[in-house]
Amino acid sequence: MKKILLKSIKRYWFAIFLQIIFIGLNIYFLTYPPKIIGNIIDLLYDLETNQNAIIMQVWYLLGSCMILLGIRMPWRWLAGYIPRSIERDLKDKLFEQFMRIKMASLQNIKNGELMSYFVKDITEIRKFIYRLMSHGTRFVFTIMIATFTMMSGVNIYLTLVTLCPIILTIFLIIKIKEYVESSFRKSQKYFTDLSEYVQESTDAIRTTKAYTGEMNQLKEFIRKNRRLREANNAVDVHSTLLSTCLNICFGLCYGISLLYGSKLVLEGVITTGDFVAFNGYIGLFVGPVSWIPGVISYYKRAKISYQRLDNVFELEKEKILPKVPAKEDDFQGNIEIRDLSFNYPENLEMVLSHINIKINKGETLGIIGTIGSGKTTLMNLLLRLYPVPDEKIKIDGKDINEIPLLTLRNHICYITQDNFLFSTSLKENIKLFKDGFEDEEVKESTKNAMVYDDIEKMQNGIDTIIGERGVDLSGGQKQRVVISRAFLNKSKVVIFDDTFSALDNKTEQMVLNNVKELVKDKTCIIISNRISDIKDANQIIVLDGGNIIESGTHETLLNKQGKYYNFYKEQTAKSQMALN
Ligand SMILES: Nc1ncnc2c1ncn2[C@@H]1O[C@H](COP(=O)(O)OP(=O)(O)OP(=O)(O)O)[C@@H](O)[C@H]1O
Ligand SMILES: [Mg+2]
């Protein structure tokens, strides 16, 4: 995170440098109007003699105002440009990081939390950079330039006595800020909590409605929302305390200046013009000092956000880039799994135990098993979505860990169980991050997946955008759109993870026939709990609780009269009942 931030700051160093120069000039020229007004007041004593000098001073006043205008415009523009540019860089890098984090780490981050990194944390950092650049720098310059002008131009003792309350107030502010920080931390936590809740509730809206859970969801939302409001109120109370402190401070400054300053005027130590200018100079401090709590507050918030983001940036990334140039011909798709056992990180329970499988190029493996028996997990390992122990999975005789991720994943087409579709066109969903396919090829793949007719009926065909204007697909349509990817993809290994479950028997048979044709010289894995999907596979394994309890061809497994046979009996009985 530090590196990313520094790199971004380095990128905009010239803009930052310019802004500092503009701020310095702005403060310097701000000391001119009080000084000129003081001069005019002193010249007013002898109006006749000083007439020309007064006119000159008025010109100076106008001139300094024009210069100030000229400085402020580019400075204000830069003040917005720099933090927004750094924010953009951070968002790009954070998204890149999310894309590359290892699944094992990513699964601990909830969706709502992910959003709050983008929406809240990066914004906090931008706001702090803005405050630091414009307010913090102005504070430093004001202290230096205005104090020097007051001391050298008016009176050193008057300056020191008048500015005493400011120093005391700064200490007080820092103390009160500790309370602001703790209340802000709470508010941020509740905000994340609420975002996560909204995210989850919207994802689950169908289930909630189906189970009439709206009121329960609403009640919980109201509770969380109220808790957030209370935390925000606490932040406001502490912030108000701070501004009150500031008002008292400046009241004291002006009071001291009036009392001690007028005494000095009466004693003839300073002129009336100096006295007026001095009060003008005090005015220069009001803004910068009142911004200090803001800068500290934003610093504390940004610090918390920085730590949160830093934790994400520290998460281990996948090494996606190939170490060696991937030669397509190297990859054949002969898979051998030898004594593979696996448990998910942070979960000691074994999900797969002593798995042994051998599939040669051109063969099909069928996997059947109870719910949660580890079927998807085994596929996750074939794609190295989770760390695979060395020498347990070999592809074409090579340890899977030695194969560059990009090569491995490019050669495996994994049709996942969740049928996830992005809110983009059907065409893009089928091509899925891969370019170089003609529309005709995409259409051909939808024909093979038996979804072509459904798509043709839609107004924009394969260009129909999913999720827009009510275009949503049925479960079976979604499955077939997802299956189309397998027909388009030129990969050497194809995996179907429970992707035929929503199809009716007739469509399923037609899709399976096309799949058979497709995988003639590929390695294919079909996970399904329907015997009809896997019965023609060269080899079938039955998974139960992470163990292979049976394996063989359809016929040998039926002869064994074990679990597979039971599945078969159950399913034939069901289809008999359906026919009657
Ligand atoms: N990301 C994960 N982190 C921790 N445990 C997980 C994770 N994914 C799955 N599991 C656990 O691993 C076991 C196997 O899950 P898996 O998804 O591989 O089963 P499956 O055979 O594909 O089930 P299904 O038939 O429902 O698709 C389950 O007990 C599940 O709770
Ligand atoms: Mg599964």
Side-chain angles (χ1 to χ4, degrees), residues 375-376 417 497:
K375 304 181 292 289
T376 301
Q417 192 173 9
D497 190 350

Side-chain angles (χ1 to χ4, degrees), residues 103 107 344-345 347 349 351 369-378 380 386 417 497-498 527 529 543:
M103 281 299 292
Q107 71 178 31
Y344 278 99
N347 192 349
E349 206 181 317
V351 176
T370 45
I371 292 169
S373 55
K375 304 181 292 289
T376 301
T377 304
L378 189 58
N380 286 340
Y386 290 89
Q417 192 173 9
D497 190 350
D498 208 7
I527 297 175
N529 275 343
L543 266 182

Side-chain angles (χ1 to χ4, degrees), residues 9-186:
I9 291 171
K10 227 172 164 183
R11 198 167 159 196
Y12 306 108
W13 75 268
F14 189 63
I16 295 171
F17 170 74
L18 271 186
Q19 199 191 357
I20 292 173
I21 298 287
F22 281 131
I23 291 175
L25 287 173
N26 176 62
I27 303 293
Y28 176 71
F29 281 103
L30 271 178
T31 61
Y32 271 63
K35 196 189 291 174
I36 297 169
I37 291 169
N39 289 344
I40 294 174
I41 286 173
D42 284 341
L43 291 169
L44 284 176
Y45 280 111
D46 194 350
L47 200 54
E48 274 187 20
T49 332
N50 296 333
Q51 206 174 1
N52 285 341
I54 291 173
I55 291 170
M56 268 314 283
Q57 292 294 325
V58 171
W59 278 115
Y60 284 153
L61 190 63
L62 280 174
S64 57
C65 288
M66 293 307 291
I67 293 173
L68 276 170
L69 200 69
I71 293 169
R72 276 176 173 233
M73 281 199 316
W75 156 49
R76 300 302 287 186
W77 182 79
L78 283 171
Y81 168 78
I82 298 167
R84 292 237 174 253
S85 306
I86 296 176
E87 179 190 26
R88 185 201 58 192
D89 287 359
L90 277 181
K91 279 189 179 159
D92 284 353
K93 286 285 170 202
L94 185 61
F95 197 76
E96 189 187 330
Q97 173 73 0
F98 276 126
M99 290 292 106
R100 295 181 59 190
I101 296 174
K102 289 193 168 174
M103 281 299 292
S105 312
L106 197 60
Q107 71 178 31
N108 297 326
I109 304 175
K110 293 186 195 156
N111 279 357
E113 199 180 329
L114 214 141
M115 279 308 290
S116 76
Y117 286 124
F118 277 96
V119 179
K120 205 152 167 74
D121 292 317
I122 294 192
T123 309
E124 286 304 339
I125 290 183
R126 169 178 55 80
K127 285 182 179 169
F128 169 65
I129 294 173
Y130 172 81
R131 253 83 194 173
L132 180 73
M133 288 304 302
S134 74
H135 295 169
T137 322
R138 273 161 89 182
F139 176 79
V140 174
F141 276 113
T142 306
I143 295 286
M144 281 169 14
I145 299 175
T147 313
F148 177 75
T149 316
M150 283 159 102
M151 283 181 171
S152 61
V154 184
N155 184 282
I156 190 163
Y157 298 112
L158 182 61
T159 310
L160 291 178
V161 174
T162 309
L163 295 187
C164 266
I166 292 184
I167 296 159
L168 281 177
T169 312
I170 291 174
F171 282 116
L172 206 62
I173 285 170
I174 291 169
K175 214 62 227 140
I176 300 173
K177 270 290 137 195
E178 280 168 22
Y179 292 100
V180 178
E181 187 190 356
S182 96
S183 49
F184 178 73
R185 206 186 282 265
K186 241 189 207 166

Side-chain angles (χ1 to χ4, degrees), residues 301-317:
R301 293 176 187 201
K303 197 171 138 195
I304 297 166
S305 294
Y306 177 91
Q307 278 159 358
R308 280 161 52 90
L309 287 170
D310 197 37
N311 290 341
V312 177
F313 278 113
E314 286 298 305
L315 292 176
E316 210 183 333
K317 283 185 279 193

Side-chain angles (χ1 to χ4, degrees), residues 285-550:
F285 282 88
V286 179
V289 172
S290 63
W291 295 326
I292 293 248
V295 176
I296 299 176
S297 160
Y298 278 101
Y299 166 70
K300 305 247 168 169
R301 293 176 187 201
K303 197 171 138 195
I304 297 166
S305 294
Y306 177 91
Q307 278 159 358
R308 280 161 52 90
L309 287 170
D310 197 37
N311 290 341
V312 177
F313 278 113
E314 286 298 305
L315 292 176
E316 210 183 333
K317 283 185 279 193
E318 282 180 333
K319 290 186 187 69
I320 285 187
L321 294 177
K323 287 175 211 146
V324 286
K327 264 201 238 145
E328 234 192 336
D329 298 343
D330 282 345
F331 199 101
Q332 295 298 318
N334 300 296
I335 302 171
E336 190 177 3
I337 302 176
R338 252 194 252 156
D339 195 29
L340 170 72
S341 298
F342 177 79
N343 62 297
Y344 278 99
E346 295 168 29
N347 192 349
L348 290 180
E349 206 181 317
M350 280 296 174
V351 176
L352 293 171
S353 313
H354 308 290
I355 302 291
N356 289 291
I357 302 170
K358 194 165 189 289
I359 328 161
N360 292 325
K361 181 187 167 187
E363 285 183 358
T364 296
L365 169 77
I367 305 181
I368 191 167
T370 45
I371 292 169
S373 55
K375 304 181 292 289
T376 301
T377 304
L378 189 58
M379 299 307 113
N380 286 340
L381 294 181
L382 274 183
L383 280 140
R384 259 174 63 201
L385 290 171
Y386 290 89
V388 181
D390 279 343
E391 299 294 324
K392 297 291 176 188
I393 302 182
K394 289 194 170 179
I395 295 185
D396 304 325
K398 205 176 194 184
D399 183 16
I400 197 167
N401 290 322
E402 311 243 300
I403 302 172
L405 263 191
L406 208 64
T407 314
L408 178 75
R409 291 183 188 167
N410 266 339
H411 284 299
I412 301 180
C413 173
Y414 182 27
I415 309 294
T416 52
Q417 192 173 9
D418 55 14
N419 299 328
F420 185 85
L421 295 178
F422 290 88
S423 11
T424 172
S425 67
L426 282 168
K427 183 167 74 185
E428 291 305 321
N429 263 298
I430 296 170
K431 281 162 56 174
L432 204 66
F433 314 124
K434 295 212 163 55
D435 293 323
F437 293 112
E438 298 294 326
D439 281 6
E440 276 316 306
E441 290 176 272
V442 178
K443 281 188 187 165
E444 197 52 40
S445 72
T446 61
K447 280 181 192 163
N448 281 319
M450 309 306 293
V451 71
Y452 178 75
D453 292 342
D454 298 50
I455 295 177
E456 280 302 292
K457 279 184 206 142
M458 295 177 196
Q459 206 179 2
N460 296 318
I462 52 166
D463 292 311
T464 306
I465 308 282
I466 293 167
E468 257 188 13
R469 277 174 266 120
V471 180
D472 207 351
L473 307 179
S474 72
Q477 283 172 329
K478 270 188 203 163
Q479 260 191 356
R480 281 173 287 149
V481 168
V482 170
I483 293 170
S484 307
R485 291 173 187 159
F487 290 100
L488 190 66
N489 214 299
K490 303 276 182 273
S491 58
K492 301 274 172 71
V493 179
V494 191
I495 301 170
F496 297 95
D497 190 350
D498 208 7
T499 31
F500 306 117
S501 58
L503 309 186
D504 60 69
N505 285 346
K506 200 172 141 216
T507 319
E508 184 195 6
Q509 279 317 312
M510 288 196 275
V511 174
L512 277 172
N513 283 340
N514 294 340
V515 167
K516 261 183 221 158
E517 196 59 35
L518 169 80
V519 301
K520 260 185 186 161
D521 55 351
K522 297 184 183 212
T523 310
C524 177
I525 301 175
I526 300 177
I527 297 175
S528 177
N529 275 343
R530 287 193 197 178
I531 301 276
S532 51
D533 293 341
I534 53 170
K535 67 178 188 337
D536 294 333
N538 304 82
Q539 192 189 156
I540 298 166
I541 60 165
V542 184
L543 266 182
D544 191 7
N547 296 288
I548 297 180
I549 51 165
E550 287 169 24

